[in-house]
Amino acid sequence: MSDFALGFDAPDDPANRAQQVRDADRQQAVNDLAAVMATKHGQRALRRILEDCGVFRTSFSGDPLHTAFKEGKRDIGLRLIDAAATADRVGLFAILAQGEL
């Protein structure tokens, strides 16, 4: 019985290779962010970016377009928090504990 009959991907399957590349890219991004968070300079930069994104502020304003714009910034900040938690959860908590964002 071949591997295909069992539902396994062949090692040289283009879809399998593409997934491996995506996984490697994701892991590289996590490693890069962990390296940034390992320095005081990187922690300060990340904190400033999160402040600019307004992740802990309301996005609502009287203008729906302005609200949508602010919500877009906030979404980027939330994605960055998620990535930072994956890279270095303890480091992220230290950044967040430094005061109000």
Side-chain angles (χ1 to χ4, degrees):
M1 184 181 289
S2 75
D3 287 343
F4 296 111
L6 295 175
F8 298 120
D9 292 329
D12 58 349
D13 178 27
N16 189 32
R17 179 68 184 132
Q19 183 62 46
Q20 290 174 346
V21 169
R22 284 191 299 274
D23 291 346
D25 287 347
R26 244 183 256 118
Q27 187 58 51
Q28 184 63 56
V30 167
N31 294 344
D32 292 345
L33 188 53
V36 167
M37 293 174 66
T39 68
K40 291 294 180 189
H41 298 10
Q43 291 172 8
R44 284 192 302 267
L46 181 60
R47 183 170 175 76
R48 278 192 298 272
I49 292 167
L50 292 175
E51 286 173 355
D52 290 345
C53 289
V55 293
F56 297 112
R57 294 189 303 262
T58 182
S59 298
F60 180 76
S61 72
D63 177 6
L65 294 177
H66 190 243
T67 298
F69 176 77
K70 288 171 63 177
E71 192 59 26
K73 286 176 35 175
R74 186 173 174 274
D75 182 60
I76 295 297
L78 293 173
R79 288 174 185 239
L80 186 54
I81 285 174
D82 184 53
T86 300
D88 181 3
R89 187 174 301 274
V90 173
L92 174 62
F93 288 142
I95 292 168
L96 297 177
Q98 292 174 6
E100 187 173 330
L101 290 175

